Coordinates of all heavy atoms in Angstrom, one line a residue:
M1 N 150.1 92.0 237.4 CA 151.3 92.8 237.4 C 152.4 91.9 237.9 O 152.3 91.3 239.0 CB 151.1 94.0 238.3 CG 152.4 94.8 238.5 SD 152.1 96.1 239.6 CE 153.3 97.2 239.1
L2 N 153.4 91.7 237.2 CA 154.5 90.8 237.6 C 155.7 91.7 238.1 O 155.9 92.8 237.7 CB 155.0 90.0 236.4 CG 154.0 89.1 235.7 CD1 154.6 88.4 234.5 CD2 153.6 88.0 236.7
A3 N 156.3 91.1 239.1 CA 157.5 91.8 239.7 C 158.7 91.7 238.8 O 158.9 90.6 238.2 CB 157.8 91.2 241.0
P4 N 159.4 92.8 238.6 CA 160.6 92.7 237.8 C 161.6 91.8 238.4 O 161.6 91.6 239.6 CB 161.1 94.2 237.7 CG 160.0 95.0 238.2 CD 159.1 94.1 239.0
S5 N 162.5 91.2 237.6 CA 163.5 90.3 238.2 C 164.4 91.0 239.1 O 164.7 92.2 238.9 CB 164.3 89.7 237.0 OG 165.0 90.7 236.3
G6 N 164.8 90.4 240.2 CA 165.6 91.0 241.2 C 164.9 91.6 242.3 O 165.5 92.1 243.2
C7 N 163.6 91.8 242.2 CA 162.8 92.4 243.3 C 162.3 91.4 244.2 O 162.0 90.2 243.8 CB 161.6 93.2 242.7 SG 162.2 94.6 241.7
R8 N 162.1 91.8 245.4 CA 161.5 90.8 246.4 C 160.0 90.7 246.2 O 159.4 91.6 245.7 CB 161.8 91.4 247.8 CG 163.3 91.3 248.2 CD 163.6 91.8 249.5 NE 162.4 92.0 250.4 CZ 162.4 92.6 251.5 NH1 163.6 93.1 252.0 NH2 161.4 92.8 252.2
C9 N 159.5 89.6 246.7 CA 158.1 89.4 246.6 C 157.3 90.6 247.4 O 157.7 90.9 248.5 CB 157.7 88.1 247.2 SG 155.9 87.8 247.2
G10 N 156.4 91.2 246.7 CA 155.6 92.2 247.4 C 156.2 93.6 247.1 O 155.7 94.6 247.6
Q11 N 157.2 93.7 246.3 CA 157.8 95.0 246.0 C 158.2 95.1 244.6 O 158.9 94.2 244.1 CB 159.0 95.2 247.0 CG 159.7 96.6 246.8 CD 160.9 96.7 247.8 OE1 161.3 95.7 248.3 NE2 161.3 97.9 248.0
D12 N 157.9 96.2 243.9 CA 158.3 96.3 242.5 C 159.5 97.3 242.4 O 160.0 97.7 243.5 CB 157.2 96.7 241.6 CG 156.6 98.1 241.9 OD1 157.2 98.8 242.7 OD2 155.6 98.5 241.3
A13 N 160.0 97.6 241.2 CA 161.2 98.4 241.1 C 161.1 99.8 241.7 O 162.0 100.4 242.2 CB 161.6 98.5 239.6
S14 N 159.8 100.4 241.7 CA 159.6 101.7 242.3 C 159.6 101.7 243.8 O 159.5 102.7 244.4 CB 158.4 102.3 241.7 OG 157.2 101.6 242.1
G15 N 159.5 100.5 244.4 CA 159.4 100.4 245.8 C 158.0 100.3 246.3 O 157.8 100.1 247.5
S16 N 157.0 100.4 245.4 CA 155.6 100.2 245.9 C 155.3 98.8 246.2 O 155.9 97.9 245.6 CB 154.6 100.8 244.9 OG 154.7 100.1 243.7
L17 N 154.3 98.5 247.0 CA 154.0 97.2 247.4 C 152.9 96.6 246.5 O 152.0 97.4 246.1 CB 153.5 97.2 248.9 CG 154.6 97.5 249.9 CD1 154.0 97.6 251.3 CD2 155.8 96.6 249.8
W18 N 152.9 95.3 246.3 CA 151.8 94.7 245.6 C 151.8 93.2 246.1 O 152.8 92.7 246.7 CB 152.1 94.7 244.1 CG 153.3 94.0 243.7 CD1 154.6 94.5 243.7 CD2 153.5 92.6 243.3 NE1 155.5 93.6 243.3 CE2 154.9 92.4 243.1 CE3 152.6 91.6 243.1 CZ2 155.4 91.1 242.7 CZ3 153.1 90.3 242.7 CH2 154.5 90.2 242.5
C19 N 150.7 92.6 246.0 CA 150.6 91.2 246.5 C 149.6 90.5 245.6 O 148.4 90.6 245.6 CB 150.0 91.2 247.9 SG 150.0 89.6 248.6
P20 N 150.2 89.6 244.7 CA 149.3 88.8 243.9 C 148.4 87.8 244.6 O 147.4 87.4 244.1 CB 150.3 88.1 242.9 CG 151.5 88.0 243.7 CD 151.6 89.3 244.5
L21 N 148.8 87.4 245.8 CA 148.1 86.4 246.5 C 146.7 87.0 247.0 O 145.8 86.3 247.2 CB 148.9 85.9 247.7 CG 150.1 85.1 247.4 CD1 150.9 84.7 248.6 CD2 149.7 83.9 246.6
M22 N 146.7 88.3 247.3 CA 145.5 88.9 247.8 C 144.4 89.0 246.7 O 143.2 89.1 246.9 CB 145.8 90.3 248.3 CG 146.6 90.2 249.6 SD 146.9 91.8 250.3 CE 145.4 92.3 250.9
T23 N 144.8 88.9 245.4 CA 143.9 89.0 244.3 C 143.5 87.7 243.8 O 142.6 87.6 242.9 CB 144.4 89.9 243.2 OG1 145.6 89.2 242.7 CG2 144.7 91.3 243.6
T24 N 144.1 86.6 244.3 CA 143.7 85.3 243.9 C 142.4 84.8 244.5 O 142.3 84.9 245.7 CB 144.9 84.3 244.3 OG1 146.1 84.7 243.7 CG2 144.6 82.9 243.8
P25 N 141.4 84.4 243.7 CA 140.2 84.0 244.3 C 140.3 82.7 245.1 O 141.2 81.9 244.9 CB 139.3 83.8 243.1 CG 140.2 83.5 242.0 CD 141.4 84.3 242.3
Y26 N 139.4 82.5 246.1 CA 139.4 81.3 246.9 C 139.1 80.1 246.0 O 138.2 80.1 245.2 CB 138.4 81.4 248.0 CG 138.2 80.2 248.8 CD1 139.2 79.8 249.8 CD2 137.2 79.3 248.6 CE1 139.1 78.7 250.5 CE2 137.0 78.2 249.3 CZ 138.0 77.8 250.3 OH 137.9 76.7 251.0
Q27 N 139.9 79.1 246.2 CA 139.7 77.8 245.5 C 139.3 76.7 246.4 O 139.8 76.6 247.5 CB 141.0 77.4 244.7 CG 141.5 78.5 243.7 CD 142.8 78.1 243.1 OE1 143.4 77.1 243.4 NE2 143.2 78.9 242.1
Q28 N 138.4 75.9 246.0 CA 138.0 74.8 246.8 C 139.2 73.7 246.8 O 140.0 73.7 246.0 CB 136.8 74.1 246.2 CG 135.6 75.0 246.3 CD 134.3 74.2 245.8 OE1 134.4 73.3 245.1 NE2 133.2 74.7 246.3
H29 N 139.1 72.9 247.9 CA 140.1 71.9 248.1 C 140.1 70.9 246.9 O 139.0 70.5 246.5 CB 139.9 71.1 249.4 CG 141.1 70.4 249.8 ND1 141.3 69.1 249.4 CD2 142.1 70.7 250.6 CE1 142.4 68.6 249.9 NE2 142.9 69.6 250.7
P30 N 141.2 70.6 246.3 CA 141.2 69.7 245.1 C 140.6 68.3 245.3 O 140.1 67.7 244.4 CB 142.7 69.7 244.7 CG 143.4 70.0 245.9 CD 142.6 70.9 246.7
Y31 N 140.6 67.8 246.5 CA 140.2 66.5 246.8 C 138.8 66.5 247.4 O 138.3 65.4 247.9 CB 141.1 65.7 247.7 CG 142.5 65.6 247.1 CD1 143.6 66.2 247.7 CD2 142.7 64.9 245.9 CE1 144.8 66.1 247.1 CE2 144.0 64.8 245.3 CZ 145.0 65.5 245.9 OH 146.3 65.4 245.4
G32 N 138.1 67.6 247.5 CA 136.8 67.7 248.1 C 136.8 67.8 249.6 O 137.8 68.1 250.2
V33 N 135.7 67.6 250.2 CA 135.5 67.7 251.6 C 135.5 66.3 252.2 O 135.1 65.3 251.6 CB 134.2 68.4 252.0 CG1 134.0 68.5 253.5 CG2 134.2 69.8 251.3
S34 N 136.0 66.2 253.4 CA 136.1 64.9 254.1 C 134.7 64.3 254.4 O 133.7 65.0 254.5 CB 136.8 65.0 255.4 OG 136.8 63.8 256.2
D35 N 134.6 63.0 254.6 CA 133.4 62.4 255.0 C 133.2 62.4 256.5 O 132.2 62.0 257.0 CB 133.3 61.0 254.4 CG 134.4 60.1 254.9 OD1 135.5 60.6 255.3 OD2 134.3 58.9 254.8
K36 N 134.2 62.9 257.2 CA 134.2 63.0 258.7 C 133.6 64.3 259.1 O 133.9 65.3 258.4 CB 135.6 62.9 259.3 CG 136.4 61.6 258.8 CD 135.7 60.4 259.3 CE 136.6 59.2 258.9 NZ 136.0 57.9 259.3
S37 N 132.8 64.3 260.2 CA 132.2 65.5 260.6 C 133.0 66.2 261.7 O 133.6 65.6 262.6 CB 130.8 65.2 261.2 OG 130.3 66.3 262.0
K38 N 133.1 67.6 261.6 CA 133.9 68.3 262.6 C 133.1 68.3 264.0 O 133.8 68.4 265.0 CB 134.2 69.7 262.2 CG 133.1 70.7 262.3 CD 133.6 72.1 261.9 CE 132.6 73.2 262.1 NZ 133.0 74.5 261.8
V39 N 131.8 68.2 263.9 CA 131.1 68.2 265.2 C 131.3 66.9 265.9 O 131.6 66.9 267.1 CB 129.5 68.4 264.9 CG1 128.7 68.2 266.2 CG2 129.3 69.7 264.3
V40 N 131.3 65.8 265.2 CA 131.6 64.5 265.9 C 133.0 64.4 266.4 O 133.3 64.0 267.5 CB 131.3 63.3 264.9 CG1 131.7 62.0 265.4 CG2 129.8 63.3 264.5
A41 N 133.9 64.9 265.5 CA 135.4 64.9 265.9 C 135.6 65.8 267.2 O 136.3 65.4 268.1 CB 136.2 65.4 264.8
G42 N 134.9 66.9 267.2 CA 135.1 67.8 268.3 C 134.5 67.3 269.6 O 135.1 67.4 270.7
I43 N 133.3 66.7 269.5 CA 132.7 66.1 270.7 C 133.5 64.9 271.2 O 133.7 64.8 272.4 CB 131.2 65.7 270.4 CG1 130.4 66.9 270.1 CG2 130.6 65.0 271.6 CD1 130.2 68.0 271.1
L44 N 133.9 64.1 270.3 CA 134.8 62.9 270.8 C 136.0 63.4 271.4 O 136.5 62.8 272.4 CB 135.1 62.0 269.6 CG 134.0 61.1 269.1 CD1 134.5 60.4 267.8 CD2 133.7 60.1 270.1
Q45 N 136.6 64.5 270.9 CA 137.9 65.0 271.4 C 137.6 65.6 272.8 O 138.5 65.5 273.7 CB 138.5 65.9 270.4 CG 139.9 66.3 270.7 CD 140.9 65.1 270.6 OE1 140.5 64.0 270.1 NE2 142.1 65.3 271.0
I46 N 136.5 66.3 273.0 CA 136.2 66.9 274.3 C 136.0 65.8 275.3 O 136.5 65.9 276.4 CB 135.0 67.8 274.2 CG1 135.4 69.1 273.4 CG2 134.5 68.2 275.6 CD1 134.3 70.0 273.1
L47 N 135.2 64.8 275.0 CA 134.8 63.8 276.0 C 135.9 62.8 276.2 O 136.2 62.3 277.3 CB 133.6 63.1 275.5 CG 132.3 63.9 275.4 CD1 131.1 63.1 274.9 CD2 132.0 64.5 276.8
L48 N 136.6 62.3 275.1 CA 137.6 61.3 275.2 C 139.0 61.7 274.6 O 139.8 60.9 274.2 CB 137.1 60.0 274.5 CG 135.8 59.4 275.0 CD1 135.3 58.4 274.1 CD2 136.0 58.9 276.4
G49 N 139.2 63.0 274.6 CA 140.4 63.5 274.0 C 141.7 63.1 274.7 O 142.8 63.0 274.0
G50 N 141.7 62.8 275.9 CA 142.9 62.2 276.6 C 143.3 60.9 276.0 O 144.5 60.6 276.1
F51 N 142.5 60.2 275.4 CA 142.8 59.0 274.7 C 143.0 59.2 273.2 O 143.2 58.2 272.5 CB 141.8 57.9 275.0 CG 141.5 57.6 276.4 CD1 140.3 58.0 277.0 CD2 142.5 57.0 277.2 CE1 140.1 57.8 278.4 CE2 142.3 56.8 278.6 CZ 141.1 57.2 279.1
G52 N 142.8 60.4 272.7 CA 143.0 60.7 271.3 C 142.0 60.2 270.4 O 142.2 60.1 269.2
I53 N 140.8 59.9 271.0 CA 139.7 59.3 270.2 C 139.3 60.2 269.0 O 139.1 59.7 267.9 CB 138.5 58.9 271.1 CG1 139.0 57.9 272.2 CG2 137.4 58.3 270.2 CD1 139.5 56.6 271.7
G54 N 139.1 61.5 269.2 CA 138.7 62.4 268.2 C 139.7 62.4 267.0 O 139.4 62.4 265.9
R55 N 141.0 62.3 267.4 CA 142.1 62.3 266.4 C 142.1 61.0 265.6 O 142.3 61.0 264.4 CB 143.4 62.6 267.0 CG 143.6 64.0 267.4 CD 143.6 64.9 266.2 NE 143.8 66.3 266.6 CZ 144.1 67.3 265.8 NH1 144.3 67.0 264.5 NH2 144.2 68.5 266.2
F56 N 141.8 59.9 266.3 CA 141.7 58.6 265.6 C 140.6 58.6 264.6 O 140.7 58.1 263.5 CB 141.6 57.5 266.6 CG 142.9 57.1 267.4 CD1 142.9 57.1 268.7 CD2 144.0 56.8 266.7 CE1 144.1 56.8 269.4 CE2 145.2 56.5 267.3 CZ 145.2 56.5 268.7
Y57 N 139.4 59.2 265.1 CA 138.3 59.3 264.2 C 138.6 60.1 262.9 O 138.2 59.7 261.8 CB 137.1 60.0 265.0 CG 136.0 60.4 264.1 CD1 135.0 59.5 263.6 CD2 135.8 61.7 263.8 CE1 134.0 59.8 262.8 CE2 134.7 62.1 263.0 CZ 133.8 61.2 262.5 OH 132.8 61.6 261.7
M58 N 139.4 61.2 263.1 CA 139.7 62.0 261.9 C 140.8 61.4 261.0 O 141.0 61.8 259.9 CB 140.3 63.3 262.4 CG 139.3 64.2 263.1 SD 140.0 65.6 264.0 CE 141.0 66.4 262.8
G59 N 141.4 60.3 261.5 CA 142.4 59.6 260.7 C 143.8 60.1 261.0 O 144.8 59.7 260.3
D60 N 144.0 60.9 262.0 CA 145.3 61.5 262.4 C 145.8 60.6 263.6 O 145.8 61.0 264.8 CB 145.1 62.9 262.9 CG 146.4 63.6 263.2 OD1 147.5 63.0 262.9 OD2 146.4 64.8 263.6
T61 N 146.3 59.4 263.2 CA 146.7 58.4 264.3 C 147.9 58.9 265.0 O 148.1 58.6 266.2 CB 146.9 57.0 263.6 OG1 147.9 57.2 262.6 CG2 145.6 56.5 263.1
K62 N 148.8 59.6 264.3 CA 150.1 60.0 265.0 C 149.8 60.9 266.2 O 150.2 60.7 267.3 CB 151.0 60.7 264.0 CG 152.2 61.3 264.6 CD 153.1 62.0 263.5 CE 154.3 62.6 264.1 NZ 155.1 63.4 263.1
T63 N 148.9 61.9 266.0 CA 148.6 62.8 267.1 C 147.7 62.1 268.1 O 147.9 62.4 269.3 CB 147.8 64.1 266.5 OG1 148.6 64.7 265.5 CG2 147.5 65.1 267.6
G64 N 146.9 61.2 267.7 CA 146.1 60.4 268.7 C 146.9 59.6 269.6 O 146.7 59.6 270.8
V65 N 148.0 59.0 269.0 CA 148.9 58.2 269.9 C 149.7 59.1 270.8 O 149.8 58.7 272.0 CB 149.8 57.3 269.0 CG1 150.9 56.7 269.8 CG2 149.0 56.2 268.3
I66 N 150.1 60.2 270.3 CA 150.9 61.1 271.2 C 150.0 61.6 272.3 O 150.4 61.7 273.5 CB 151.4 62.3 270.3 CG1 152.5 61.8 269.4 CG2 152.0 63.4 271.2 CD1 153.0 62.8 268.4
Q67 N 148.7 62.0 272.0 CA 147.8 62.4 273.1 C 147.6 61.3 274.1 O 147.6 61.6 275.3 CB 146.5 62.8 272.5 CG 146.5 64.2 271.8 CD 145.2 64.6 271.2 OE1 144.4 63.8 271.0 NE2 145.1 65.9 271.1
L68 N 147.5 60.1 273.7 CA 147.3 58.9 274.6 C 148.5 58.8 275.5 O 148.4 58.6 276.7 CB 147.0 57.7 273.8 CG 146.9 56.4 274.6 CD1 145.8 56.4 275.6 CD2 146.8 55.2 273.6
V69 N 149.7 58.8 274.9 CA 150.9 58.7 275.7 C 151.1 59.8 276.7 O 151.5 59.6 277.8 CB 152.2 58.6 274.7 CG1 153.5 58.7 275.5 CG2 152.1 57.3 273.9
V70 N 150.8 61.0 276.3 CA 151.0 62.2 277.2 C 150.0 62.1 278.3 O 150.4 62.3 279.5 CB 150.7 63.5 276.4 CG1 150.6 64.7 277.3 CG2 151.9 63.8 275.5
T71 N 148.8 61.6 278.1 CA 147.8 61.4 279.1 C 148.3 60.4 280.1 O 148.2 60.5 281.3 CB 146.4 61.1 278.6 OG1 146.0 62.1 277.7 CG2 145.4 60.9 279.7
L72 N 148.8 59.3 279.6 CA 149.3 58.2 280.5 C 150.5 58.6 281.3 O 150.6 58.3 282.5 CB 149.6 56.9 279.7 CG 148.3 56.3 279.0 CD1 148.8 55.1 278.2 CD2 147.3 55.8 280.1
V73 N 151.4 59.3 280.7 CA 152.7 59.7 281.4 C 152.4 60.7 282.4 O 153.0 60.7 283.5 CB 153.7 60.2 280.3 CG1 154.9 60.9 281.0 CG2 154.2 59.0 279.4
T74 N 151.4 61.6 282.2 CA 151.2 62.7 283.2 C 150.0 62.3 284.1 O 149.5 63.2 284.8 CB 150.8 64.0 282.4 OG1 149.6 63.7 281.7 CG2 151.9 64.5 281.6
C75 N 149.7 61.0 284.2 CA 148.7 60.5 285.1 C 147.3 61.2 284.9 O 146.6 61.5 285.9 CB 149.1 60.6 286.6 SG 150.6 59.7 286.9
G76 N 147.0 61.5 283.7 CA 145.7 62.1 283.4 C 145.7 63.6 283.1 O 144.7 64.1 282.6
F77 N 146.7 64.3 283.6 CA 146.7 65.7 283.4 C 146.8 66.1 281.9 O 146.4 67.2 281.5 CB 147.8 66.4 284.2 CG 147.5 66.4 285.7 CD1 148.2 65.5 286.5 CD2 146.5 67.2 286.2 CE1 148.0 65.5 287.9 CE2 146.2 67.1 287.6 CZ 146.9 66.3 288.4
G78 N 147.4 65.3 281.1 CA 147.5 65.6 279.7 C 146.2 65.6 278.9 O 146.1 66.0 277.8
A79 N 145.1 65.1 279.6 CA 143.8 65.2 279.0 C 143.3 66.6 278.7 O 142.4 66.8 277.9 CB 142.8 64.4 279.8
I80 N 143.9 67.5 279.4 CA 143.5 68.9 279.1 C 143.8 69.3 277.6 O 143.1 70.1 277.0 CB 144.3 69.9 280.1 CG1 143.8 69.6 281.5 CG2 144.1 71.3 279.7 CD1 144.7 70.3 282.5
W81 N 144.9 68.7 277.1 CA 145.3 68.9 275.7 C 144.1 68.5 274.8 O 143.7 69.2 273.9 CB 146.5 68.2 275.3 CG 147.0 68.2 273.9 CD1 146.6 69.1 272.9 CD2 147.9 67.4 273.3 NE1 147.2 68.8 271.8 CE2 148.0 67.8 271.9 CE3 148.6 66.3 273.7 CZ2 148.8 67.1 271.0 CZ3 149.5 65.7 272.8 CH2 149.6 66.1 271.5
G82 N 143.5 67.3 275.1 CA 142.4 66.8 274.3 C 141.2 67.7 274.4 O 140.5 67.9 273.4
L83 N 140.9 68.3 275.6 CA 139.8 69.2 275.8 C 139.9 70.4 274.9 O 139.0 70.8 274.2 CB 139.6 69.5 277.3 CG 138.6 70.5 277.6 CD1 137.2 70.0 277.4 CD2 138.8 71.0 279.0
I84 N 141.1 71.0 275.0 CA 141.4 72.2 274.3 C 141.3 71.9 272.8 O 140.8 72.7 272.0 CB 142.7 72.9 274.7 CG1 142.6 73.4 276.1 CG2 143.1 74.0 273.7 CD1 143.9 73.8 276.7
D85 N 141.9 70.8 272.4 CA 141.9 70.4 271.0 C 140.5 70.2 270.4 O 140.2 70.6 269.3 CB 142.7 69.1 270.8 CG 143.1 68.8 269.4 OD1 143.2 69.7 268.6 OD2 143.3 67.6 269.1
G86 N 139.6 69.6 271.2 CA 138.2 69.5 270.8 C 137.5 70.8 270.6 O 136.8 70.9 269.6
I87 N 137.8 71.7 271.5 CA 137.1 73.0 271.3 C 137.7 73.7 270.1 O 136.9 74.3 269.3 CB 137.4 73.9 272.6 CG1 136.7 73.3 273.8 CG2 137.0 75.4 272.3 CD1 137.1 73.9 275.1
L88 N 138.9 73.6 269.8 CA 139.5 74.2 268.6 C 139.0 73.6 267.3 O 138.8 74.2 266.3 CB 141.0 74.1 268.6 CG 141.7 75.0 269.6 CD1 143.2 74.8 269.7 CD2 141.4 76.5 269.3
I89 N 138.7 72.2 267.4 CA 138.2 71.6 266.2 C 136.8 72.1 265.9 O 136.4 72.3 264.8 CB 138.2 70.0 266.4 CG1 139.6 69.5 266.3 CG2 137.3 69.3 265.4 CD1 139.8 68.1 266.8
L90 N 136.0 72.2 267.0 CA 134.6 72.7 266.8 C 134.6 74.2 266.3 O 133.7 74.5 265.5 CB 133.8 72.7 268.1 CG 133.4 71.3 268.6 CD1 132.8 71.3 270.0 CD2 132.4 70.7 267.6
V91 N 135.5 75.0 266.8 CA 135.5 76.4 266.4 C 136.1 76.6 265.0 O 135.6 77.3 264.1 CB 136.2 77.3 267.4 CG1 136.4 78.7 267.0 CG2 135.5 77.2 268.8
N92 N 137.3 76.0 264.8 CA 138.1 76.3 263.6 C 137.9 75.2 262.5 O 138.4 75.4 261.4 CB 139.6 76.4 263.9 CG 139.8 77.6 264.8 OD1 139.1 78.6 264.8 ND2 140.9 77.5 265.6
G93 N 137.4 74.1 262.9 CA 137.4 72.9 261.9 C 138.7 72.2 262.0 O 139.5 72.4 262.9
G94 N 139.0 71.5 261.0 CA 140.3 70.8 260.9 C 140.3 70.0 259.6 O 139.5 70.2 258.7
V95 N 141.3 69.1 259.5 CA 141.5 68.3 258.3 C 141.6 66.8 258.8 O 142.0 66.5 259.9 CB 142.7 68.7 257.5 CG1 142.6 70.1 257.0 CG2 144.0 68.6 258.4
D96 N 141.2 66.0 257.9 CA 141.2 64.5 258.2 C 142.6 64.0 257.8 O 143.5 64.8 257.5 CB 140.2 63.8 257.4 CG 140.3 63.8 255.9 OD1 141.3 64.3 255.4 OD2 139.4 63.2 255.2
G97 N 142.8 62.7 257.9 CA 144.1 62.1 257.7 C 144.6 62.3 256.3 O 145.8 62.2 256.0
Q98 N 143.8 62.6 255.3 CA 144.2 62.8 253.9 C 144.4 64.3 253.6 O 144.6 64.6 252.5 CB 143.2 62.2 252.9 CG 143.2 60.7 252.9 CD 142.4 60.1 254.0 OE1 141.5 60.6 254.5 NE2 142.9 58.9 254.5
G99 N 144.2 65.2 254.6 CA 144.3 66.6 254.4 C 143.1 67.3 253.9 O 143.2 68.5 253.5
R100 N 142.0 66.6 253.8 CA 140.7 67.3 253.4 C 140.1 67.9 254.6 O 140.1 67.4 255.7 CB 139.8 66.2 252.8 CG 140.4 65.5 251.6 CD 139.5 64.4 251.1 NE 139.3 63.4 252.2 CZ 138.6 62.3 252.1 NH1 137.9 62.1 251.0 NH2 138.5 61.5 253.1
P101 N 139.4 69.1 254.3 CA 138.7 69.8 255.4 C 137.5 69.0 255.9 O 136.8 68.3 255.1 CB 138.3 71.1 254.8 CG 138.5 71.0 253.4 CD 139.4 69.9 253.1
L102 N 137.3 69.0 257.2 CA 136.1 68.3 257.8 C 134.9 69.0 257.4 O 134.8 70.2 257.3 CB 136.2 68.2 259.3 CG 137.4 67.5 259.9 CD1 137.5 67.7 261.4 CD2 137.4 66.0 259.6
R103 N 133.8 68.2 257.2 CA 132.5 68.8 256.8 C 131.8 69.3 258.1 O 132.1 68.9 259.2 CB 131.6 67.7 256.1 CG 131.2 66.6 256.9 CD 130.3 65.6 256.1 NE 130.1 64.4 256.8 CZ 129.2 64.2 257.7 NH1 128.4 65.1 258.1 NH2 129.1 63.0 258.3
D104 N 130.9 70.2 257.8 CA 130.2 70.9 258.9 C 129.1 70.0 259.5 O 128.6 69.1 258.9 CB 129.6 72.2 258.5 CG 130.6 73.2 258.3 OD1 131.7 73.2 258.9 OD2 130.4 74.1 257.4

């Protein structure tokens, strides 16, 4: 069902709601899955996250450098960011430097 011209997304001329995105089937990532493991990235980030090691492993050097600088500037208190980030990587997964999802 296509929305008539002039209507906002999610609303047709009669005012009823529709959402084409909800009917779109899940598609796999076009570039496949990363060769990096989310378990390794998460553990590295929990243990050495203050130095951004897990992010460097994933190929996300920008965030890794920022985590390192924050840890050094805050005299080590910024390492809490790495700990939380590692837990989130283990729970939610993440993407590598090329935007591919990490493998399980």
Side-chain angles (χ1 to χ4, degrees):
M1 176 181 204
L2 297 174
S5 62
C7 293
R8 292 181 11 192
C9 179
Q11 182 180 17
D12 63 11
S14 67
S16 63
L17 296 176
W18 61 278
C19 184
L21 295 176
M22 293 179 74
T23 60
T24 305
Y26 174 75
Q27 297 176 359
Q28 290 184 339
H29 196 273
Y31 301 115
V33 179
S34 175
D35 57 340
K36 307 295 183 185
S37 168
K38 79 174 185 179
V39 174
V40 173
I43 297 297
L44 284 172
Q45 196 62 10
I46 288 173
L47 297 177
L48 301 168
F51 303 110
I53 301 300
R55 288 294 179 164
F56 286 124
Y57 168 76
M58 293 167 52
D60 188 6
T61 56
K62 179 180 175 184
T63 305
V65 169
I66 293 171
Q67 286 180 336
L68 176 61
V69 169
V70 167
T71 299
L72 293 175
V73 168
T74 61
C75 299
F77 288 109
I80 293 171
W81 176 17
L83 175 68
I84 294 169
D85 193 29
I87 293 169
L88 289 175
I89 290 170
L90 286 174
V91 172
N92 297 330
V95 295
D96 66 4
Q98 289 78 34
R100 300 174 300 179
L102 296 174
R103 66 179 167 84
D104 290 329

